[in-house]
Amino acid sequence: MNKITTYTLMVAAAILACSFPAFAGNRAENALHKKLFIAASSDFVGDSTTNNANAIQAAIDSANAAGGGVVELKNGKFLSGPFTMESNVTLRIDPSATLYATTYVKDYYPANYDTTLPPPSNLNPFIYCDHDSNITITGGGTIDGNGQPWWAAYKATKAARPRLIEFWNTNHIVIDSVTLENSPMFHVSLENSWYDTLEYDTIYAPSNSPN
């Protein structure tokens, strides 16, 4: 496995598809989120097979509606389909937790896409955000893109693959102290994103993976 550790946004820029008009960390502000959602049996299921996408999205929506909050995953292997981050929300993945991206292709289809048609040329990312701010992904845990089947399909047919994290038109984004591994495509893509901090993150992927 290849290992890349990024300590600042300047280092990360060499490996990420990003746009960086300015750089100013905002970890303190992002840490002031009030409401806490704990990944318990009543919230999320860390059995590596149950799709937690709806539960995670509902927690993010609730934290955002409350004016800010933390959605926390602890003690388990949490499978999920794609979900959208929102303003003033922290996704905290504890060292005891791994968040796995589902490999079910249709989960990544654009909204209202006609599934009777051939697969689309572009898929939704696993973690997405557009026109939001003050968002943190942290906690010391792991986000695993389950890339192997995607890489095989891409090498065989050039099939579309989702990005692991993709943010558009955002500001004050913090990605801190998490491991990102085995993304189907790019691990992190920040487009038109301002005042971002990426530090103490680790990226793993096999040396022959097409990402």
Side-chain angles (χ1 to χ4, degrees):
M1 302 285 282
N2 283 355
K3 178 179 178 181
I4 301 172
T5 304
T6 60
Y7 293 97
T8 68
L9 190 59
M10 297 302 292
V11 176
I15 57 172
L16 307 178
C18 304
S19 175
F20 302 122
F23 171 70
N26 201 33
R27 297 176 64 188
E29 180 181 344
N30 288 16
L32 295 176
H33 301 153
K34 300 295 192 297
K35 195 168 183 179
L36 181 63
F37 293 83
I38 300 295
S41 57
S42 59
D43 300 317
F44 315 117
V45 182
D47 62 1
S48 76
T49 58
T50 300
N51 192 324
N52 289 274
N54 290 338
I56 292 172
Q57 189 64 67
I60 292 170
D61 293 346
S62 295
N64 172 261
V70 179
V71 177
E72 188 170 29
L73 300 175
K74 296 178 67 175
N75 301 320
K77 298 178 179 180
F78 300 90
L79 182 71
S80 179
F83 58 88
T84 301
M85 293 296 295
E86 299 173 16
S87 292
N88 306 312
V89 176
T90 290
L91 175 63
R92 179 180 295 148
I93 304 171
D94 188 80
S96 65
T98 299
L99 176 62
Y100 288 95
T102 180
T103 58
Y104 184 59
V105 179
K106 290 185 178 180
D107 279 351
Y108 297 90
Y109 280 12
N112 303 315
Y113 186 82
D114 185 350
T115 57
T116 64
L117 298 174
S121 57
N122 292 295
L123 300 176
N124 290 331
F126 178 54
I127 301 176
Y128 180 68
C129 185
D130 189 6
H131 285 92
D132 281 271
S133 61
N134 197 27
I135 293 168
T136 298
I137 300 174
T138 190
T142 299
I143 303 175
D144 191 315
N146 264 326
Q148 189 61 52
W150 298 99
W151 303 332
Y154 177 76
K155 289 177 180 179
T157 66
K158 301 299 181 184
R161 301 163 290 156
R163 299 178 181 189
L164 193 64
I165 298 173
E166 182 175 78
F167 287 176
W168 283 82
N169 306 304
T170 54
N171 63 81
H172 294 103
I173 303 301
V174 175
I175 303 176
D176 171 46
S177 302
V178 291
T179 296
L180 309 175
E181 59 185 28
N182 301 323
S183 176
M185 196 179 177
F186 301 147
H187 283 82
V188 180
S189 177
L190 302 174
E191 300 286 347
N192 298 321
S193 190
W194 296 66
Y195 310 116
D196 302 327
T197 302
L198 285 79
E199 58 183 353
Y200 307 113
D201 300 308
T202 301
I203 292 177
Y204 285 106
S207 59
N208 62 348
S209 58
N211 61 3

